[in-house]
């Protein structure tokens, strides 16, 4: 029996993690979870179980919920997230938070010797060096949930480690067939309409700008210790080949499956075992054809920025990620247009001044620099 804590349980990955856990009650038990405010999304779990440690964002919500659900214990804020990440009963912490907010709890969980199942890619992008050092020092396992990285981990698990390149597949997101000039007039609703996956708002927007793939390139670099010139991105519209590994003998191993995040979530929790899952088998005849195309870096400038930031190995990836988080939040709040996201973030990336990144504080400062640049740009201040 594995005891599991879920950070970000009310989100897309969090709810699917709860679903996986509920289907294997003999293997997994949820001992704690967090939401920011959407407690109603997990109310069914709160009613069914007792003795959970639950974190919410605000103290007043924690107090109110303590009287509504006296069978559970409530904590709040960033300190609460850290307390939850270090839950004494937890074996594995699933980090399904969105954004750099996930960084501190991840580090705290690793220091508390918890195994990590990581969906929260922004943590590795901003502080990959520190996270991976902390993982090694504490000898815990870090399993990716992101489908591409899960695919690569699965391709590698049974094979020699003489890798020639990692090939990350990209669906291209909501606007893959639009030119840059056609992006002038797209709406928030259009941007949130992903062709293959149903996900949280931030990652759906990141998919449409391809920043998501850029973040994943950096994530792959840290997870698999692979140089950037051995990580490639190709467009694969069907999202059936989740990623591939080419080995030194030119053999390529790919992992295929229906686009359903419960597969990589379950693998991250059950590894090295594979458990059954109640899903239709992938029908390759129905899928009919699988296509692969090169990615246009001019059309998707944030993918180029992410490669450049990753290669610098300084605080630029953290700054780029912070700038992107601020720009996507502004777009979701209807403060800027879709096309402004990559225009502003590329401009921020080219203008900021970078330093070495050695500590968590360096990552926090770089994240703030990126956010501040975008906020200033939007408010019309000097940047
Ligand atoms: P969602 O937006 O659906 O969920 C985010 C979760 O984090 C929610 O539980 C939300 O709580 C909580 N949260 C958000 N902001 C804060 C905050 N400031 N403090 C505390 N909690 C917060 O995101 P996704 O599930 O889509 O994505 C989560 C992570 O997984 C991201 O890093 C994403 O890139 C990655 N990922 C997601 C995939 C997917 O299919 N969704 C696929 C691959 C990777 P509340 O609901 O109360 O607001
Ligand atoms: Mg992915």
């Amino acid at each position: 029996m594995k005891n599991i804590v879920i950070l970000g349980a009310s989100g897309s990955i969090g709810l699917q993690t709860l679903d996986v856990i509920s289907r294997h009650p003999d293997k997994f038990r949820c001992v704690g979870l967090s939401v920011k405010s959407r407690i109603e999304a997990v109310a069914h779990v709160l009613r069914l179980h007792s003795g959970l440690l639950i974190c919410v964002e605000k103290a007043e919500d924690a107090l109110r919920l303590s009287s509504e659900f006296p069978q559970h214990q409530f904590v709040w804020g960033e300190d609460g997230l850290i307390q939850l990440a270090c839950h004494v009963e937890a074996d594995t912490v699933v980090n399904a938070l969105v954004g750099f907010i996930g960084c501190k709890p991840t580090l705290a969980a690793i220091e508390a010797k918890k195994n990590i199942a990581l969906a929260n890619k922004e943590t590795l992008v901003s502080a990959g060096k520190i996270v991976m050092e902390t993982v090694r020092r504490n000898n815990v396992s870090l399993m990716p949930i992101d489908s591409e990285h899960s695919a690569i981990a699965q391709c590698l698990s049974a094979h020699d480690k003489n890798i020639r390149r990692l090939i990350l597949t990209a669906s291209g997101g909501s606007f893959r067939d639009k030119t840059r000039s056609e992006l002038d007039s797209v709406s928030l609703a259009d941007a949130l309409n992903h062709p293959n996956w149903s996900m949280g708002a931030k990652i759906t927007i990141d998919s449409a700008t391809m920043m998501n793939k850029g973040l994943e390139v950096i994530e792959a670099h840290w997870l698999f210790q692979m140089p950037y010139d051995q990580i490639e991105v190709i467009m694969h519209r069907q999202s059936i080949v989740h990623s591939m590994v080419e080995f030194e003998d030119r053999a390529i191993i790919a992992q295929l499956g229906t686009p359903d995040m419960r597969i990589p979530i379950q693998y991250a929790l059950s590894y090295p075992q594979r458990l059954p899952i109640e899903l239709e088998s992938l029908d390759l005849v129905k899928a009919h054809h699988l296509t692969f195309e090169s990615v246009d870096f001019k059309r998707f400038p944030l993918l180029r920025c992410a490669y450049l930031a990753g290669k610098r190995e300084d605080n630029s990836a953290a700054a780029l990620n912070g700038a992107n988080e601020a720009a996507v939040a502004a777009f979701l709040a209807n403060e800027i247009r879709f096309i402004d996201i990559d225009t502003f973030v590329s401009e921020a990336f080219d203008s900021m001044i970078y330093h070495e990144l050695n500590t968590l504080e360096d990552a926090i400062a770089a994240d703030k620099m990126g956010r501040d640049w975008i906020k200033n740009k939007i408010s019309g201040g000097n940047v």
Side-chain angles (χ1 to χ4, degrees), residues 293-314:
E293 301 155 60
S294 59
V295 173
D296 178 353
F297 280 70
K298 284 212 175 83
R299 165 68 183 76
F300 296 106
L302 294 185
L303 185 55
R304 171 191 151 271
C305 292
Y307 265 105
L308 291 175
K311 283 183 186 166
R312 293 177 60 103
E313 298 206 335
D314 55 11

Side-chain angles (χ1 to χ4, degrees), residues 31 69 218 235 267-268 303-304:
V31 293
F69 297 99
I218 302 174
M235 274 266 276
Y267 185 75
L303 185 55
R304 171 191 151 271

Side-chain angles (χ1 to χ4, degrees), residues 6-16 34-42 55-57 77-78 81 95-102 118-123 145-149 197-204 206 212 215-216 219 260-261 264-265 325:
I6 308 170
L7 308 178
S10 50
S12 160
I13 294 289
L15 288 171
Q16 292 180 84
S34 84
V35 305
K36 183 179 181 192
S37 58
R38 293 189 321 114
I39 197 79
E40 68 284 358
V42 296
C55 181
V56 293
E57 189 190 31
E78 192 175 70
L81 274 181
N95 187 341
L97 293 167
V98 61
F100 183 61
I101 184 94
L118 190 72
N120 177 238
K121 63 191 85 181
E122 295 89 347
T123 281
I145 283 181
D146 214 346
S147 59
E148 295 76 0
H149 306 76
W197 299 92
S198 161
M199 311 183 283
K202 195 250 176 188
I203 185 176
T204 305
D206 283 348
N212 182 50
L215 301 177
E216 290 181 357
E219 185 185 9
D260 190 309
M261 285 308 294
I265 292 169
E325 284 194 30

Side-chain angles (χ1 to χ4, degrees), residues 324-342:
N324 182 61
E325 284 194 30
V328 172
F331 172 63
L332 290 173
N334 275 311
E335 290 165 14
I336 60 174
R337 296 170 308 159
F338 178 79
I339 191 73
D340 295 330
I341 301 174
D342 63 21

